[in-house]
Amino acid sequence: MSRVLISARGLKIRFGGVIAADGIDLDVLEGENLAIIGPNGAGKTTFLNMATGYLRPQAGTVSFLGQDITALPPRTITKLGIARAFQIPQLFLDQTVLENMMIAAAAHAGSMSAFRHLLDLPERKEVEDLLDLVGVRAFANRKAFELPEGQRKLVDIALALALKPTVLLMDEPTSGVASGEKLGLMDILTSALARQKVSSVFVEHDMDMVERYAHRVAVWSSGKIQVVGPPAEVLKNTEVREHVIGI
Amino acid sequence: MSGRLVSRLIIAAAIVVAAVLPIILPSWATLTTLILAKGIVVLGIIILLQAGQVSFGHAMFFGVGAYTIAFWGRYVGPGDLLLFLLLGPLIAMAFGLLIGLFVVRYREIFFGMLNLAFSMVMWSLLEKLYAFTNGADGIRVARPTLAGIAFTPEAFQYVLLYLTLGLVLVVSYGVQRYLDSPLGHMLRAIKGNETRLEYLGVSARKILLIGYVISAFLGGLGGVLVATAQQIATPEFAYWTKSGEFVFIAILGGIANAAGAFAGAAVFETVRFFASAQLANAWQLILGVVLIVIIMFAPNGLIGLRNRRKAQAEVRP
């Protein structure tokens, strides 16, 4: 059986009158791509925020490889091996795409030099390969703010990959990407994840993507997990079809 | 001619002017030293501005540098400029580390105001501890030796000028290297997206603290040089208007690179020098108008004017 990487137990959080997590239990297993689906406001992003230390749950624990990470800040959790890509790309807009990526690579390698040129670090080759992989190499020397939204999204994911994480949490990786390019992106992404042995969790609204790329899918509904299982089974579930997919 | 070459030629020309002009016009020797020394302090402001943070209290480190040499003269005895140039910045760095541990927890207006508060505490102490500091009268700074050699006042102003010019070159090179390094880019990333920086596993506070301590070092260095040139250290060195002046010069010159600090300081000190001679108390008015013009027409400062021309040249087919 696969090793459990991230384990959430009894996570609860409430924002005023809204219960965003009401007893979330979930394991993320080694080698899997776990999809999270559910209607808007069901608490999917909140789960990612709690798993990465951005929000502290009011009850419950998150552990990573057996270590309790509930109260740790994002940077510490990141260093342990959980990287995150965002729904709205979070880039350093005034810096070039290559500089963005090299900052990530330097952070991962611990190259905190004050004298070496950022772009002369030995990680440059790897970083350029990563940009090639996600298809934004042509934008390497453009400032991040000049990029169209879809390309920013790719850089956002590439930034997370540059950290060589054990688990990558992605919030709607294909939103903002042109619909004709979604499949291509997910093909590239999932094969890159498999090659680098990175497990992933991704929030997704496109059921086609879930069916194709997820090994398991967890269905969120009003702060609870309704059902978890292989996409083939879960997506046939009548309740899920009615409430989440809307058929 | 490439834009880069032109930039280098302009910088080389500026260095030659700074080195040669005071020989032709001796009255410019001390003024040029002051321009260069203040430019060093402004480099520190520019470092913090990379992270999007403005310190309205940075003159406190300038004051620490100046009073290091003043206290040495008063309580220890005659000293050597090389020693002061080491000691002043190091003590300023120590202060920077201590104060930095508090202020790097805050951003923007809170960062600026907390710095202001610390500097006002220092200014008050310098004013009120009369027994130690002579209060508002300040402490006279005797002309130090350099590497054990004593100079006449006339010779010393040139010695100090060329020493300062040398330090400017070293320090500018160092700061530019720092801004291009991973640490420098992470500093800019604080302005760009602090959340993402944390999600790359980097402590933004630590990165800002490193920048803050370097900028305190530069403040201390400038303080030693100015106190030596003016032969006095007064509480004014640490007063908030002095802090404002450094920020003013940074905005005037442009914060994109090290050259902006010196371009800004040159214009500021020259305008002040001539306007205060010709127009008595109207120099603030003139500088105010200059800054308004800069902000409206060249928001990236004097250096930005040059960069804008470069950008236009690149766009041309």
Side-chain angles (χ1 to χ4, degrees):
Chain A
M1 205 183 131
S2 299
R3 199 158 56 130
V4 175
L5 299 178
I6 299 176
S7 175
R9 287 291 172 269
L11 292 183
K12 286 188 186 180
I13 197 165
R14 168 198 288 272
F15 306 112
V18 181
I19 301 169
D22 189 11
I24 296 289
D25 296 319
L26 185 67
D27 286 340
V28 179
L29 308 176
E30 187 165 38
E32 76 170 343
N33 297 324
L34 171 68
I36 294 180
I37 63 173
N40 288 327
K44 306 183 295 293
T45 301
T46 302
F47 172 72
L48 299 188
N49 283 337
M50 288 190 292
T52 55
Y54 193 73
L55 285 175
R56 205 167 162 172
Q58 285 148 357
T61 58
V62 184
S63 56
F64 177 61
L65 294 170
Q67 181 188 350
D68 185 358
I69 59 168
T70 321
L72 299 178
R75 64 169 176 278
T76 314
I77 293 175
T78 304
K79 277 191 188 149
L80 291 173
I82 302 179
R84 177 171 185 186
F86 294 81
Q87 184 181 359
I88 298 162
Q90 300 291 321
L91 308 179
F92 310 121
L93 293 176
D94 285 337
Q95 282 154 297
T96 67
V97 169
L98 186 60
E99 285 167 351
N100 269 266
M101 290 293 292
M102 288 302 294
I103 290 172
H108 177 69
S111 308
M112 299 305 211
S113 165
F115 276 100
R116 289 193 73 169
H117 200 291
L118 178 76
L119 301 184
D120 291 341
L121 294 178
E123 287 79 17
R124 175 147 178 187
K125 174 83 181 62
E126 270 173 52
V127 155
E128 285 174 339
D129 289 346
L130 253 178
L131 289 176
D132 258 335
L133 183 77
V134 297
V136 290
R137 174 79 180 268
F139 294 99
N141 292 316
R142 302 278 287 277
K143 293 208 168 158
F145 76 80
E146 297 174 39
L147 267 60
E149 180 76 5
Q151 314 295 333
R152 283 190 206 177
K153 193 87 184 185
L154 299 176
V155 176
D156 188 82
I157 294 169
L159 276 178
L161 284 174
L163 302 174
K164 298 179 189 159
T166 310
V167 188
L168 173 58
L169 309 183
M170 293 177 282
D171 203 345
E172 302 195 24
T174 62
S175 77
V177 177
S179 55
E181 291 164 14
K182 282 189 180 185
L183 285 180
L185 167 63
M186 284 302 281
D187 273 339
I188 291 166
L189 196 55
T190 46
S191 62
L193 292 173
R195 198 175 331 140
Q196 299 184 6
K197 297 193 169 56
V198 181
S199 312
S200 77
V201 176
F202 64 105
V203 173
E204 186 56 76
H205 281 296
D206 188 331
M207 293 309 134
D208 199 24
M209 298 294 145
V210 174
E211 215 163 353
R212 275 172 192 259
Y213 299 107
H215 299 113
R216 289 195 306 152
V217 52
V219 183
W220 244 251
S221 172
S222 315
K224 288 186 173 155
I225 297 180
Q226 209 179 351
V227 51
V228 189
E233 280 172 31
V234 171
L235 298 180
K236 280 197 195 105
N237 181 318
T238 1
E239 226 173 293
V240 172
R241 290 176 74 90
E242 271 173 26
H243 290 104
V244 181
I245 312 176
I247 311 172
Chain B
M1 218 170 4
S2 78
R4 197 166 174 166
L5 186 63
V6 177
S7 295
R8 285 187 176 171
L9 284 176
I10 292 174
I11 290 171
I15 294 168
V16 171
V17 169
V20 174
L21 187 68
I23 298 175
I24 305 162
L25 297 167
S27 65
W28 278 71
T30 300
L31 178 65
T32 308
T33 305
L34 291 178
I35 288 171
L36 296 172
K38 284 192 177 172
I40 291 175
V41 185
V42 175
L43 276 182
I45 299 285
I46 287 179
I47 287 175
L48 296 177
L49 281 168
Q50 301 300 314
Q53 306 307 316
V54 184
S55 164
F56 288 114
H58 231 55
M60 65 183 141
F61 303 116
F62 186 65
V64 168
Y67 273 89
T68 297
I69 167 167
F71 283 142
W72 184 285
R74 183 166 172 158
Y75 295 107
V76 182
D80 195 90
L81 188 53
L82 292 182
L83 171 74
F84 297 147
L85 289 173
L86 204 65
L87 205 59
L90 286 180
I91 293 177
M93 251 176 125
F95 270 84
L97 182 64
L98 216 63
I99 294 167
L101 285 171
F102 289 96
V103 298
V104 300
R105 305 165 73 91
Y106 300 87
R107 297 288 177 274
E108 297 172 357
I109 191 73
F110 304 103
F111 177 87
M113 288 296 122
L114 200 57
N115 272 288
L116 178 73
F118 275 110
S119 77
M120 291 309 281
V121 169
M122 180 166 297
W123 174 79
S124 307
L125 290 176
L126 293 173
E127 279 261 327
K128 304 296 173 196
L129 297 177
Y130 191 86
F132 301 100
T133 65
N134 286 352
D137 296 340
I139 301 175
R140 272 197 54 77
V141 170
R143 189 164 5 96
T145 55
L146 180 70
I149 306 165
F151 293 91
T152 62
E154 293 73 25
F156 187 73
Q157 62 173 352
Y158 286 103
V159 168
L160 188 61
L161 168 67
Y162 293 119
L163 184 67
T164 307
L165 187 58
L167 285 170
V168 163
L169 297 180
V170 173
V171 161
S172 300
Y173 175 75
V175 168
Q176 201 59 53
R177 282 293 290 259
Y178 166 60
L179 294 182
D180 288 336
S181 76
L183 282 177
H185 275 280
M186 287 173 185
L187 194 70
R188 286 168 64 197
I190 293 177
K191 182 180 177 186
N193 195 327
E194 192 168 337
T195 307
R196 173 55 107 173
L197 192 60
E198 293 276 332
Y199 268 105
L200 295 179
V202 178
S203 162
R205 282 182 190 173
K206 198 167 110 189
I207 297 296
L208 185 56
L209 182 62
I210 294 169
Y212 193 83
V213 170
I214 293 175
S215 108
F217 176 93
L218 296 170
L221 182 58
V224 169
L225 291 168
V226 171
T228 306
Q230 297 185 328
Q231 298 187 357
I232 194 162
T234 68
E236 292 295 309
F237 275 67
Y239 198 49
W240 67 271
T241 54
K242 188 63 82 184
S243 297
E245 194 177 300
F246 293 134
V247 175
F248 187 117
I249 293 172
I251 306 293
L252 186 67
I255 65 162
N257 56 42
F262 300 99
V267 171
F268 184 92
E269 290 298 327
T270 310
V271 169
R272 173 152 77 180
F273 185 70
F274 286 102
S276 64
Q278 310 295 328
L279 292 151
N281 290 321
W283 68 270
Q284 291 98 332
L285 178 74
I286 292 173
L287 278 169
V289 172
V290 168
L291 190 65
I292 290 169
V293 170
I294 287 285
I295 287 173
M296 288 180 70
F297 298 104
N300 296 320
L302 295 170
I303 290 299
L305 284 175
R306 162 88 198 114
N307 291 341
R308 192 159 66 179
R309 287 189 64 128
K310 244 181 2 193
Q312 280 167 351
E314 277 163 18
V315 168
R316 249 177 255 140

